[in-house]
């Protein structure tokens, strides 16, 4: 069955600290992988995507993610978090129909 | 407009009434998607339109839900005889390619 697991429901980091949000997937074929961010009351904004090629992909707002086929993972990272990064982050897999993880809510302490 | 536009942004309706939710995709985008976001179920795929092909309705939760896309552009999601469990945020997305979907800000539906 196709699925996405985001093990961390809530994460709190201090401003300026590094961040890693975990994502594991189960998908029959070579996956298309995505990270979206959702601020309160807003829609989903695409941060980055992986289709093929270089397994380290760069996105907007200083985020990057690394595809590791052997671990079925696509973790999102940022070297230095800003207060404005506080939001909910969703990992997704698929092509025509996206399957989303449950999301990780990020809080940033000043 | 530059992005996906959804209307209304909020809708409160009485149980048993019908509602229509509208989505204006990004101009030129051939694919249009509807998703539902609720506390208990997370983000769920509902329906997908691609060009003139028959829509993929596999995610619609019941026959009370239907959607159409007129002229390959604007889409309307209709929920008949609304129930309290239909309360959720309904998100529309469009894309030019198979991937890279851009989402609207959603319609928050509350059934009372």
């Amino acid at each position: 069955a196709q699925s996405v697991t985001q093990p961390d429901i809530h994460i709190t980091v201090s401003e300026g600290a590094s961040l890693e949000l975990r994502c594991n997937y189960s998908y029959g074929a070579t996956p298309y992988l995505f990270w979206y961010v959702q601020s309160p009351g807003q829609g989903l904004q695409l941060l980055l995507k992986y289709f093929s090629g270089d397994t380290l992909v760069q996105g907007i707002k200083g985020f990057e993610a690394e595809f590791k086929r052997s671990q079925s993972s696509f973790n999102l990272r940022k070297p230095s978090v800003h207060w404005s990064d506080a939001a909910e982050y969703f990992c997704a897999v698929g092509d025509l129909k996206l399957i989303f993880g449950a999301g990780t809510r990020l809080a940033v302490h000043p | 407009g530059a992005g996906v536009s959804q209307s209304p942004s909020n809708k409160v309706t009485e149980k048993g009434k019908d509602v229509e939710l509208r989505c204006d995709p990004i101009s030129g985008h051939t694919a249009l998607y509807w998703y539902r976001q609720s506390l208990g179920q997370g983000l769920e795929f509902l329906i997908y339109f691609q060009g003139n092909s028959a829509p993929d309705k596999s995610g619609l939760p019941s026959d009370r839900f239907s959607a159409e896309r007129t002229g390959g552009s604007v889409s309307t999601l209709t929920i008949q005889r609304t129930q309290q469990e239909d309360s959720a945020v309904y998100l529309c997305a469009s894309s030019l390619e198979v991937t890279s979907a851009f989402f609207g800000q959603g319609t928050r539906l509350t059934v009372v």
Side-chain angles (χ1 to χ4, degrees):
Chain A
Q2 300 169 352
S3 64
V4 176
T5 302
Q6 293 181 246
D8 305 305
I9 298 174
H10 289 101
I11 283 185
T12 300
V13 300
S14 298
E15 191 169 17
S18 63
L19 172 71
E20 181 169 31
L21 302 183
R22 296 182 291 165
C23 173
N24 292 95
Y25 66 89
S26 173
Y27 197 74
T30 301
Y32 294 158
L33 293 156
F34 308 83
W35 275 99
Y36 283 88
V37 61
Q38 186 177 37
S39 298
Q42 302 296 310
L44 296 165
Q45 181 181 21
L46 179 66
L47 284 176
L48 47 78
K49 60 190 179 187
Y50 171 78
F51 298 160
S52 64
D54 192 347
T55 56
L56 184 64
V57 293
Q58 302 297 319
I60 62 171
K61 305 185 179 187
F63 286 92
E64 66 178 26
E66 185 171 13
F67 170 58
K68 293 185 177 180
R69 185 185 299 275
S70 62
Q71 299 177 18
S72 297
S73 70
F74 189 56
N75 294 348
L76 182 71
R77 300 195 295 249
K78 186 169 185 177
S80 178
V81 170
H82 188 263
W83 65 265
S84 60
D85 293 325
E88 188 152 21
Y89 292 79
F90 293 92
C91 180
V93 64
D95 42 33
L96 300 177
K97 296 184 286 189
L98 292 178
I99 300 167
F100 286 88
T104 297
R105 187 170 297 277
L106 174 66
V108 180
H109 279 180
Chain B
V4 177
S5 178
Q6 293 187 245
S7 61
S9 54
N10 282 282
K11 177 71 176 178
V12 180
T13 190
E14 292 181 353
K15 179 181 173 182
K17 295 288 181 69
D18 298 351
V19 294
E20 287 188 350
L21 313 179
R22 177 187 170 101
C23 173
D24 283 278
I26 293 172
S27 178
H29 279 194
T30 55
L32 187 146
Y33 316 75
W34 284 98
Y35 289 82
R36 179 170 70 174
Q37 185 174 27
S38 56
L39 282 176
Q41 302 298 320
L43 278 154
E44 304 171 274
F45 165 81
L46 296 178
I47 188 169
Y48 160 73
F49 297 88
Q50 172 62 47
N52 296 321
S53 302
D56 179 346
K57 305 179 182 179
S58 60
L60 294 179
S62 78
D63 58 8
R64 296 186 295 105
F65 287 72
S66 63
E68 63 177 19
R69 188 178 185 192
T70 54
S73 181
V74 172
S75 177
T76 302
L77 177 68
T78 301
I79 309 173
Q80 296 178 310
R81 306 180 302 281
T82 51
Q83 303 295 314
Q84 287 186 330
E85 61 263 27
D86 299 334
S87 296
V89 176
Y90 290 82
L91 293 166
C92 177
S94 70
S95 70
L96 181 59
E97 309 162 340
V98 168
T99 53
S100 300
F102 294 87
F103 283 80
Q105 297 199 352
T107 293
R108 180 175 298 277
L109 175 66
T110 304
V111 181
V112 298

